[in-house]
Amino acid sequence: MSNPNTKTITRELQSHVAILGGCVALFWMIEIVDVFVFRGALNSYGVRPRNLDGLQGILLMPFLHGSFAHLAANTVPFVTLGWLIMLREVSDFFVVSGVTMLVSGLGVWLTGAPNSVHIGASGLIFGYFGFLLLRGYFERSFTSILLSLIVGFFYGSLIWGVLPSQPGVSWQAHFFGFVGGVLTAQLLGRQKPQIKN
C-alpha cells in the first residue's frame, strides 16, 4: 500500500515540473519562431520606455530574448529560483511572477533610456532572487530564513546586476524586478501565520 504523503509529494513535484517546464518550453518556442520565422522582429515588442505602444512590453518582455545564448543564460536561474519559490506554495510563484513583471516593466518604461527596447526574463529572475532573499526577514520562520541564507550564499553575486554595469544589459529591469520581489516578500510575509514562542 502506497503512502498518501508520497502521493501528495509526487503530485506537487509533477505540478512544479509542468508549470516550470511549460514556461521554459514557451520561452524556447517563442525564441525559435522569432529567430527562424521573424528574423528577430518580435523583439521590437519589448518595453519601449515612455512610448505608449511600448507598454505592451510589460507583459511580453520576459518571453522575448536577444539570442539563444541570452535565453540559455536565463533558463537555469529561472527554473532554480522559481522552483525554490514553489516549494512553499505554488500560488506564491504566480503572485511573485505577476507583481515582478508589473513592477519591473513599469520601472523600465518610466526610467529606461529613450529609443531603447528592453527584453528578457532577467527582471523576473531578479524578482525571484529579491523575494527569496528577503522572505526570511519578513516571515521570520526558520525555514524561510534558512532558504534566504542558502539563496544569498549561492546567488548573492546577482545583487551587483541591479547597478548600471555593462552596455546592452537592462539594469533597470534587474533593479525594479528585485524591488518587485522584495515588495511581494513583504506582502506575502504579512499573510503567513506568525509563530510565537
Side-chain angles (χ1 to χ4, degrees), residues 130-158:
F131 176 81
L132 290 165
L133 195 63
L134 274 294
R135 181 164 72 174
Y137 173 78
F138 292 114
E139 285 187 18
R140 307 293 171 91
S141 72
F142 174 78
T143 306
S144 58
I145 291 170
L146 179 62
L147 191 56
S148 292
L149 291 172
I150 291 169
V151 168
F153 180 78
F154 285 103
Y155 283 95
S157 61
L158 274 181

Side-chain angles (χ1 to χ4, degrees), residues 87-126:
L87 282 178
R88 176 73 59 83
E89 289 182 36
V90 172
S91 61
D92 287 354
F93 173 78
F94 292 108
V95 174
V96 177
S97 297
V99 172
T100 297
M101 283 173 66
L102 184 62
V103 174
S104 177
L106 278 175
V108 167
W109 190 82
L110 289 169
T111 66
N115 303 316
S116 61
V117 181
H118 298 251
I119 55 174
S122 56
L124 268 182
I125 291 164
F126 275 81

Side-chain angles (χ1 to χ4, degrees), residues 3 10 22 33-34 51 64 78 83 88 151 154-155 171 195:
N3 187 334
T10 302
V33 169
D34 187 32
N51 181 315
L64 303 170
F78 174 85
W83 182 67
R88 176 73 59 83
V151 168
F154 285 103
Y155 283 95
W171 67 268
I195 300 170

Side-chain angles (χ1 to χ4, degrees), residues 16 18 35 38 43-44 47 49-50 53-54 59 70 75 79 82 98 117 138 140 162 164 167 177 182 196:
H16 297 173
V35 168
F38 294 102
N43 290 339
S44 65
V47 174
R50 292 173 302 287
D53 289 338
L59 295 177
H70 181 205
T75 298
V79 170
V117 181
F138 292 114
R140 307 293 171 91
V162 303
V182 172
K196 296 181 180 178

